[in-house]
Amino acid sequence: MPPASPLPPIQLKQEVLPFGTQEFHIKGVVDERENKKAVAFLLPLAPAAGTTPQPVDLQNGSVAALETYIQQSLKQNQKLRPVVLRLKEFQLTEAPAEKGRVAGKAKIAVAFAVRREGKLLHLFDYAGSASYSRPTTGPLTMVEPLLRRMVAGSLRYLTTWVEQEAPHNEKLTHTIKVHFEDYLRHQDDDTLFYDPNRPLTWNDFQGGSRVSGSFAASIFPGLSNDIQATVQDGVVHVLVSTKPYILRNLSKILPSAKTAYSLNHEQRHFDIVKLVSEHYKQRLKPEKLTLEDYESQVKYQYLEALWEMDRLQKQYDGETGHGTNTSAQSRWDKKIDDELRALKVKL
């Protein structure tokens, strides 16, 4: 039995697909198939040539052929999101069938991933299949259209999926915007949040008069925050609500120390927390955050703020002698007021 003549490579024909995208472009094709030898295993057209399928690949190889087909057939903007097509399976196999016919079965399996900040983020997996029947003597005209239709089907599904997901799917985001809110609501009788229009009063010192050590007064300041992230039209909006506060039940004063000077010293402890919260905001610039890891980056900057607050509070009390050094207290008063004005916290 003479060997069958080799079948020519399959050339995917260029076409204008009846759909386009305004959300992404195909950056490339990655071949991850276990068998990269061929995309089709076709039976010879001559009956005498046997029933062993011949391997037939796409012209110029699968990756180049698919990239060329997509580039020429799909309307896309190269400035939009780069999506990579990861080819998991793409194969058409023929086998003898009843009544002198040939049965063809084709499968495609791809994974789509978006390239963002140098990494590939998996979006979804797609799989499709198709079959046909032809006479033993041919022709093979249905092979190329079937393979092409399966690739086009995956692209159509991708287009629909991205259009539906782009407004709210975080993997498809391309920009970060950070918004800040100064928390001023007073819902807890024990917690007083910083308000530049509402300075401390002695009524806020509700912890009694048992002050530790030789101090005349003490307050319990702190800084907390809430972080909420939402996605809208490809943008991650990060809302950071900063909460400088004092706890009234832990703030104490000796009855003999209720002077304007002492109250000012304690107010400056509160002002320092506010300054630290403003420094925290300044470090949360969108250009310093990544879409992949912005949550942990924001949390790390919050820890930095707590360390800064502890350092400045100790420095303040150390230099002013807990308020006993009046000249140092004046310098700190001016320093704090100047920065509060520079940050537009205080007029």
Side-chain angles (χ1 to χ4, degrees):
M1 181 182 297
S5 301
L7 295 171
I10 302 168
Q11 182 176 5
L12 294 180
K13 296 180 181 178
Q14 176 184 350
E15 61 181 332
V16 179
L17 293 172
F19 55 88
T21 174
Q22 296 299 319
E23 298 290 348
F24 67 90
H25 75 278
I26 299 296
K27 182 65 176 177
V29 175
V30 179
D31 193 350
E32 299 179 359
R33 295 174 298 163
E34 292 185 5
N35 184 357
K36 298 181 175 64
K37 183 178 180 180
V39 298
F41 293 85
L42 307 176
L43 290 177
L45 296 179
T51 58
T52 302
Q54 291 186 21
V56 183
D57 203 6
L58 297 178
Q59 190 170 30
N60 300 321
S62 298
V63 170
L66 289 174
E67 288 182 340
T68 299
Y69 167 75
I70 294 171
Q71 181 66 32
Q72 294 177 345
S73 303
L74 179 65
K75 300 174 185 177
Q76 51 185 341
N77 184 338
Q78 300 297 319
K79 296 181 179 180
L80 300 177
R81 298 177 184 86
V83 172
V84 174
L85 187 156
R86 302 169 64 184
L87 191 63
K88 302 291 186 178
E89 183 179 9
F90 190 36
Q91 186 170 297
L92 186 154
T93 304
E94 290 189 334
E98 297 179 349
K99 298 180 180 180
R101 297 186 67 81
V102 171
K105 294 183 178 181
K107 293 181 180 180
I108 186 171
V110 300
F112 289 104
V114 63
R115 185 175 295 280
R116 194 181 73 183
E117 296 177 341
K119 295 185 178 182
L120 284 178
L121 302 180
H122 177 75
L123 297 177
F124 65 90
D125 297 318
Y126 172 89
S129 62
S131 61
Y132 63 85
S133 175
R134 68 169 176 84
T136 305
T137 56
L140 296 173
T141 52
M142 61 187 63
V143 172
E144 185 277 335
L146 179 63
L147 292 173
R148 177 161 40 92
R149 188 166 70 247
M150 296 180 77
V151 176
S154 71
L155 296 175
R156 180 188 289 275
Y157 189 90
L158 170 66
T159 300
T160 302
W161 188 91
V162 173
E163 288 178 352
Q164 292 176 345
E165 293 291 319
H168 55 81
N169 191 311
E170 190 162 332
K171 289 184 179 179
L172 297 174
T173 56
H174 51 76
T175 306
I176 292 180
K177 291 186 177 180
V178 184
H179 312 272
F180 298 103
E181 176 187 58
D182 292 321
Y183 193 89
L184 300 176
R185 294 180 289 277
H186 305 292
Q187 298 175 343
D188 186 339
D189 289 341
D190 184 39
T191 305
L192 176 67
F193 296 102
Y194 189 94
D195 184 342
N197 298 316
R198 199 285 192 193
L200 292 176
T201 70
W202 288 125
N203 291 331
D204 297 317
F205 292 71
Q206 298 175 6
S209 59
R210 297 185 62 180
V211 184
S212 61
S214 58
F215 305 138
S218 67
I219 66 168
F220 194 96
L223 175 63
S224 64
N225 72 334
D226 288 333
I227 303 169
Q228 293 181 331
T230 57
V231 176
Q232 183 177 2
D233 298 329
V235 179
V236 177
H237 294 273
V238 182
L239 175 61
V240 180
S241 178
T242 57
K243 300 179 177 181
Y245 68 87
I246 67 160
L247 296 180
R248 291 188 175 98
N249 286 339
L250 294 178
S251 300
K252 305 175 181 181
I253 180 66
L254 292 175
S256 61
K258 290 185 178 181
T259 66
Y261 182 88
S262 295
L263 185 60
N264 173 72
H265 177 81
E266 302 307 322
Q267 175 67 49
R268 299 309 181 174
H269 278 293
F270 206 3
D271 290 340
I272 287 172
V273 182
K274 177 59 176 176
L275 291 177
V276 168
S277 74
E278 294 299 315
H279 299 164
Y280 169 54
K281 293 179 187 178
Q282 291 176 333
R283 291 195 296 270
L284 296 181
K285 299 296 184 184
E287 58 270 18
K288 295 182 179 180
L289 303 177
T290 63
L291 289 163
E292 179 187 16
D293 206 26
Y294 68 86
E295 289 186 65
S296 62
Q297 291 167 338
V298 170
K299 291 177 181 177
Y300 175 77
Q301 291 301 332
Y302 172 64
L303 291 178
E304 288 274 0
L306 296 182
W307 295 328
E308 181 189 13
M309 181 177 68
D310 181 68
R311 177 178 58 81
L312 287 178
Q313 297 287 18
K314 289 178 179 177
Q315 182 184 357
Y316 170 59
D317 267 339
E319 293 184 8
T320 64
H322 296 276
T324 60
N325 187 328
T326 56
S327 59
Q329 183 68 53
S330 295
R331 287 193 298 270
W332 271 90
D333 289 348
K334 183 178 186 307
K335 176 182 177 180
I336 292 172
D337 282 340
D338 287 347
E339 189 168 2
L340 288 173
R341 292 191 184 95
L343 293 169
K344 297 183 180 179
V345 174
K346 200 171 187 179
L347 299 178

